[in-house]
Amino acid sequence: RWSVLVASMLLELCGGSVYITNLYLAALRPRLFPGAADGEALMEYLVFASNLGNWVPLAGFLYDARRGGPRTVVFAGAALTLLGYGGLWLCSAFDVHANFAVLWLLWFLWGHGSGYFDCAAIATCSANFRESRGLVLGLTKSFYGLSGSLLTQVFLAFFAAPDAAPAFLLFLGVALCLLALALAPLVRRLAPPRPLDADSPSRRFARGYALVGALAVAMVAISLLRAFSPLAASRAFSLGALGLVAASLLVLPSLAWGAAAAAGSPSLLVLPS
């Protein structure tokens, strides 16, 4: 179940793209609404569409459906994310002057896909850690909150140029979809270990929260350096910040090391979806 938690935390990175729309709004506005006097207001309506998509709770019905379950929800989220971001990439990269209703729908779709990732991660971890739901949900949701800062490092390292906004949309559509598909087989409901503390949950939760805290402090330090240090404007700094993020994520699987052996074989039983 700790492997499922690690996969769910990484899955939350896919869902947190709703926090980074301000990175590319200004660059997209002249591409989506060339010459429009109310272009800024129209962009705000599109951002609302993505937020609305994230709020609509249809993912929960699919999760609990007879043919649903966590894997199906992740697949649905990946499809919605690819369709939404992919459509926006086509509209912005090739000067496809789609009408506002089509653009609104595309923003709604990728926002809705983000909600599916969040639903799969939260519902599955809650089921696997029934005796410590508060701790596991806090740890999982922390990555949902940090995802915006982590994805910002990718943007600043590779897509900060004014004409790179369409490429960033393509990156979000393809990379988040592929990451979600890779994690889908790992996000599953399991039978609890016997006894419940056999896999040392206190020690593992402490390690997880320490990692999240260190990552949050690092993101704050990077933000302050960008604001007050001239060196932080260089691409080398952006690549270094991205390397720090990657190194932190590589430590994350250590939460699951030895957990299955400690808990015994009952924890490996997969419950019906």
Side-chain angles (χ1 to χ4, degrees):
R1 63 177 183 168
W2 293 94
S3 297
V4 177
L5 173 58
V6 170
S8 298
M9 293 171 70
L10 294 175
L11 187 63
E12 289 285 31
L13 296 181
C14 302
S17 61
V18 292
Y19 293 128
I20 60 171
T21 53
N22 64 308
L23 293 177
Y24 50 83
L25 283 183
L28 277 186
R29 187 173 62 218
R31 291 175 176 271
L32 298 181
F33 305 109
D38 58 345
E40 185 173 352
L42 293 174
M43 293 301 296
E44 291 179 359
Y45 294 143
L46 295 181
V47 173
F48 171 75
S50 65
N51 289 330
L52 180 63
N54 189 248
W55 299 332
V56 172
L58 297 181
F61 292 97
L62 180 59
Y63 189 95
D64 290 332
R66 182 178 179 183
R67 297 184 180 276
R71 190 175 305 179
T72 303
V73 171
V74 174
F75 288 157
L80 290 166
T81 298
L82 181 61
L83 182 59
Y85 280 122
L88 289 175
W89 168 71
L90 288 173
C91 292
S92 59
F94 299 100
D95 295 326
V96 178
H97 300 303
N99 62 46
F100 181 76
V102 172
L103 294 174
W104 196 96
L105 178 62
L106 292 173
W107 281 70
F108 178 89
L109 288 177
W110 73 253
H112 197 43
S114 297
Y116 279 68
F117 297 140
D118 187 41
C119 173
I122 291 300
T124 304
C125 287
S126 180
N128 289 346
F129 290 85
R130 299 176 186 178
E131 78 288 357
S132 49
R133 287 190 179 98
L135 286 172
V136 76
L137 295 187
L139 194 56
T140 308
K141 292 297 286 188
S142 66
F143 256 66
Y144 190 75
L146 283 171
S147 59
S149 296
L150 303 184
L151 290 172
T152 296
Q153 307 313 314
V154 178
F155 174 84
L156 294 174
F158 300 110
F159 303 101
D163 60 346
F168 186 56
L169 293 176
L170 179 62
F171 165 79
L172 290 175
V174 174
L176 299 185
C177 176
L178 292 178
L179 177 59
L181 292 177
L183 295 172
L186 302 176
V187 182
R188 61 201 191 278
R189 291 176 292 203
L190 304 174
R194 292 291 184 267
L196 292 176
D197 60 350
D199 52 3
S200 305
S202 298
R203 177 170 54 86
R204 295 179 191 277
F205 277 126
R207 192 189 309 166
Y209 275 97
L211 174 61
V212 168
L215 192 54
V217 170
M219 292 299 100
V220 171
I222 289 171
S223 297
L224 291 175
L225 286 173
R226 289 192 190 280
F228 299 107
S229 172
L231 296 177
S234 66
R235 187 175 184 186
F237 180 86
S238 297
L239 291 174
L242 185 60
L244 178 63
V245 169
S248 301
L249 295 180
L250 289 176
V251 176
L252 190 59
S254 67
L255 295 179
W257 290 348
S265 58
S267 64
L268 301 179
L269 297 177
V270 180
L271 296 178
S273 296

